[in-house]
Amino acid sequence: MEELEIEVLKRLVEKALKELDEAYKRLPDVNNGKTYLWRGKERIRLMTKILNDMEG
């Protein structure tokens, strides 16, 4: 795995976790809580794609 790929994955993981945490906190209070969850899921999907491409 190249150093740049590792760095990108680290940033994606950090952002995904931060947004999922925000969604958890906000979901009962505001209507856009699902947006935070969706963004986190999309970043996790991208991480999965990168990892799968590296394996294959």
Side-chain angles (χ1 to χ4, degrees), residues 7-28:
E7 188 61 35
V8 169
L9 286 175
K10 285 180 183 178
R11 280 189 255 139
L12 287 170
V13 168
E14 289 170 4
K15 280 190 161 268
L17 292 176
K18 181 179 177 183
E19 288 187 354
L20 290 170
D21 188 44
E22 281 295 315
Y24 178 79
K25 292 176 188 174
R26 295 173 179 251
L27 195 56

Side-chain angles (χ1 to χ4, degrees), residues 8-55:
V8 169
L9 286 175
K10 285 180 183 178
R11 280 189 255 139
L12 287 170
V13 168
E14 289 170 4
K15 280 190 161 268
L17 292 176
K18 181 179 177 183
E19 288 187 354
L20 290 170
D21 188 44
E22 281 295 315
Y24 178 79
K25 292 176 188 174
R26 295 173 179 251
L27 195 56
D29 300 324
V30 295
N31 292 334
N32 70 348
K34 289 183 181 179
T35 301
Y36 286 96
L37 289 174
W38 183 82
R39 287 179 183 167
K41 283 173 48 178
E42 289 303 307
R43 284 195 173 90
I44 291 170
R45 284 185 184 143
L46 180 56
M47 288 183 283
T48 301
K49 181 187 180 316
I50 291 170
L51 291 172
N52 287 338
D53 289 350
M54 289 173 53
E55 291 177 347

